[in-house]
Amino acid sequence: MSGIIGGAGSKSGIIGTTELDYEEGTWTASFHPTSVVIDATRDLCSYIKIGGLVTVYGAIKVGSISSPSGALQVNGLPFVSRSSSEMENRSVGSISGWGYTGTLTTDLHCFQSSGYTYFYIQDQGLNDVANHCAASTEFRFTLQYPTDS
């Protein structure tokens, strides 16, 4: 990123006299519960941070399972989400999944609460997704959340 915001289409490192906080990178995801193990060849995800807004995205895959139970949590977000006393800093993202077992509704979603470096994957019926993971289950997601970092 370089330049100054001026006309349409310009990129910037400066807005007026304030430097724009911009960062891109990767982060490594893991699952909780630990009975759902991520495939080490499909655990690298990406992020873009602009100011206090982080966008994370990726495709992650289950490598192995051992009697999974409960909610499925994706750990390792690159920044701690902004804390709050109310619910204004919670986020919901877009996610798709396939290769799971049993009955899940087709509408999966991911959600993230304030003050954490993880998000949950649930279906529309609020079923525990970990119970339905198989060794080939794959999820693709995009999530935006606020941070103070």
Side-chain angles (χ1 to χ4, degrees):
M1 299 236 327
S2 64
I4 296 181
I5 286 187
S10 66
K11 294 185 178 179
S12 108
I14 306 286
I15 299 176
T17 58
T18 305
E19 186 172 333
L20 179 64
D21 177 16
Y22 179 91
E23 182 179 335
E24 291 183 297
T26 58
W27 58 283
T28 303
S30 64
F31 289 128
H32 180 81
T34 56
S35 57
V36 180
V37 178
I38 201 162
D39 181 332
T41 66
R42 295 291 297 278
D43 63 351
L44 194 61
C45 302
S46 298
Y47 74 89
I48 298 172
K49 179 180 176 284
I50 302 174
L53 184 64
V54 181
T55 302
V56 292
Y57 54 97
I60 53 180
K61 187 175 183 180
V62 176
S64 64
I65 59 166
S66 175
S67 302
S69 179
L72 185 60
Q73 180 177 304
V74 178
N75 297 318
L77 293 176
F79 300 94
V80 175
S81 61
R82 182 177 294 148
S83 292
S84 67
S85 59
E86 295 189 29
M87 297 176 70
E88 77 275 12
N89 289 322
R90 293 186 178 193
S91 300
V92 176
S94 173
I95 191 163
S96 63
W98 57 92
Y100 41 79
T101 64
T103 304
L104 288 175
T105 65
T106 56
D107 294 332
L108 293 175
H109 65 274
C110 52
F111 72 94
Q112 195 270 336
S113 296
S114 63
Y116 299 103
T117 56
Y118 59 82
F119 66 87
Y120 288 101
I121 301 172
Q122 282 189 322
D123 75 344
Q124 185 177 359
L126 303 180
N127 293 305
D128 289 332
V129 174
N131 300 1
H132 299 282
C133 285
S136 61
T137 303
E138 184 172 333
F139 300 100
R140 294 181 184 183
F141 66 91
T142 301
L143 173 70
Q144 290 186 317
Y145 66 94
T147 186
D148 290 323
S149 299

